[in-house]
Amino acid sequence: MDNEIDWERFSDPTIISARTLILIVLGIEIVLQSVALAISPTEWWIWQLLGFITATNLGAVVLAVLAQRSANNIGKAYKKVFTPSFYKTVNMFSKFQEYFELEAQKEGRDLDEEIKEVAPKLWGVIRAHLDVKEPMASLQPLDKQDDTDLFD
């Protein structure tokens, strides 16, 4: 239906695997070890390396705690929104979309083009219905006489 968005990729996001993460860490370690082997150790270099290691470890711990906190907040929100009813409704709309696409293909039509053609007509019908429909009595403003009676 929509060629602009890769819905398959969008619905299945890729997350870095444990293997990839380990390979990245090993790559960083090899680069750092190469630098360490190329430089003759001095007390100053040792303190610099110790400071670097400490800073990166503390940074990683702080970032992990913040990431977990964010994940917990997202999890709480998801539990409220993504209920079984939500998934059933999304599944129902997905089925409608699939059936609409199948019917359009059977007729040799493009669903996007059909929607572009039908949407303005559907909007016109809805708008006409709303314009013609008599307003509800409860939504009518009160007369001036009624307003004064309320305050006496």
Side-chain angles (χ1 to χ4, degrees):
M1 180 179 140
D2 193 356
N3 296 333
E4 297 172 12
I5 299 172
D6 185 0
W7 291 110
E8 290 295 322
R9 184 171 167 254
F10 183 76
S11 67
D12 188 22
T14 54
I15 298 173
I16 295 177
S17 67
R19 181 177 181 220
T20 303
L21 190 58
I22 290 170
L23 290 174
I24 290 171
V25 170
L26 286 175
I28 292 171
E29 192 269 336
I30 289 170
V31 169
L32 288 178
Q33 277 299 96
S34 300
V35 171
L37 291 173
I39 299 173
S40 62
T42 64
E43 190 172 314
W44 185 84
W45 277 112
I46 293 171
W47 278 107
Q48 293 303 314
L49 185 59
L50 180 62
F52 174 75
I53 292 168
T54 304
T56 54
N57 285 339
L58 286 176
V61 169
V62 169
L63 290 175
V65 169
L66 292 174
Q68 185 59 48
R69 183 175 171 217
S70 295
N72 289 341
N73 291 339
I74 291 169
K76 288 176 189 175
Y78 273 24
K79 284 180 182 178
K80 289 180 183 176
V81 174
F82 297 107
T83 62
S85 175
F86 171 83
Y87 286 113
K88 288 178 185 176
T89 303
V90 169
N91 184 44
M92 179 189 66
F93 280 115
S94 293
K95 287 180 182 177
F96 270 110
Q97 186 262 338
E98 289 173 16
Y99 295 143
F100 286 160
E101 280 188 349
L102 286 173
E103 289 303 313
Q105 286 176 354
K106 286 179 187 176
E107 295 179 13
R109 297 173 186 241
D110 179 34
L111 189 57
D112 284 333
E113 292 301 319
E114 293 296 315
I115 290 173
K116 286 178 187 175
E117 183 180 326
V118 172
K121 294 175 185 177
L122 184 58
W123 170 253
V125 169
I126 293 170
R127 186 72 251 168
H129 176 72
L130 292 174
D131 290 342
V132 171
K133 187 173 177 162
E134 194 174 318
M136 295 173 57
S138 63
L139 298 178
Q140 292 178 347
L142 297 173
D143 293 337
K144 288 289 182 185
Q145 292 174 347
D146 293 335
D147 286 341
T148 56
D149 292 340
L150 289 173
F151 297 107
D152 287 335

